[in-house]
Amino acid sequence: MESLKINLSVEELAFVISPPGHIKSDVGVLKDDVHFLIGRPFDDMYTKAHVGLFKFNECAYFDDITQHVADAATRFDAFNIFLKDLTILYTGSTRMIAMNVLNKYPVREIFEKLVRKNDRYVPYISIASHLTPSDLLKAWPYLKDFTYSQHFTCDHIAVYARTGKQWTLFKEIPFGNN
């Protein structure tokens, strides 16, 4: 296993499920649409499409958490993730436009085996987060009837490392005994 101790500038790891390129492209187009509709950049405008599992920022334990995930992943089987349409998620005083993950249970099961049981964990792909109510009123009327249906095979966990504001793919951890 590669060691993160070599690169002391890594500040945080993100463990995610990463969809294939065509879905990332679709999400990118939707992000561009939101940018046009609200007339300003938004927080995750340049974030690549993903289903977030968890982030970890205790630098001294990067190798340990990565090994923990790799060990757990040997017991996961590949499955399909089904995506359907868009929804609004309420995040305190702000709003998020997100792509629905229809079969939440298998993703939630992975989350719970890696982190802990949490009934409030909801898997989704963010289109635009931290939108004000005003931003939402500008964008949602044009997106609420957007029809989307795709699926992809989830057979690994992608690990991204953050240095400053830049996230780069560190490794992919396959499911099963690969």
Side-chain angles (χ1 to χ4, degrees):
M1 168 137 340
E2 295 177 55
S3 176
L4 286 173
K5 291 178 183 172
I6 296 169
N7 187 350
L8 298 176
S9 61
V10 172
E11 300 167 33
E12 185 174 27
L13 298 178
F15 294 80
V16 305
I17 295 171
S18 188
H22 68 281
I23 293 174
K24 288 179 184 176
S25 177
D26 294 345
V27 169
V29 169
L30 288 165
K31 287 176 178 280
D32 288 344
D33 290 346
V34 171
H35 179 217
F36 174 78
L37 290 166
I38 68 174
R40 67 168 185 83
F42 51 92
D43 285 356
D44 59 349
M45 192 165 107
Y46 299 109
T47 303
K48 293 197 184 310
H50 67 276
V51 177
L53 294 170
F54 71 98
K55 290 182 179 178
F56 189 83
N57 62 7
E58 294 181 44
C59 303
Y61 301 103
F62 281 169
D63 290 328
D64 295 335
I65 192 66
T66 304
Q67 187 61 52
H68 165 72
V69 171
D71 291 345
T74 63
R75 297 183 298 276
F76 300 155
D77 293 321
F79 63 97
N80 283 320
I81 291 182
F82 296 92
L83 305 172
K84 181 97 170 122
D85 303 336
L86 302 177
T87 190
I88 299 171
L89 300 176
Y90 296 86
T91 54
S93 63
T94 62
R95 309 292 181 259
M96 175 188 299
I97 298 173
M99 190 171 285
N100 285 311
V101 172
L102 288 183
N103 56 328
K104 293 171 179 36
Y105 179 75
V107 180
R108 181 175 283 142
E109 185 177 13
I110 287 173
F111 172 83
E112 290 178 354
K113 287 181 178 176
L114 294 177
V115 183
R116 70 184 176 290
K117 183 163 176 50
N118 182 347
D119 293 332
R120 294 182 1 186
Y121 171 76
V122 176
Y124 59 84
I125 294 177
S126 175
I127 303 301
S129 66
H130 298 103
L131 298 177
T132 65
S134 173
D135 290 338
L136 187 66
L137 287 173
K138 292 175 189 173
W140 189 244
Y142 297 95
L143 298 173
K144 69 180 179 180
D145 295 324
F146 177 73
T147 302
Y148 189 82
S149 182
Q150 283 285 345
H151 71 276
F152 66 95
T153 301
C154 175
D155 60 2
H156 70 280
I157 294 171
V159 183
Y160 285 83
R162 181 177 63 81
T163 303
K165 293 184 179 184
Q166 182 70 36
W167 289 95
T168 55
L169 179 64
F170 170 65
K171 76 180 316 124
E172 293 182 342
I173 300 172
F175 292 174
N177 290 313
N178 298 329

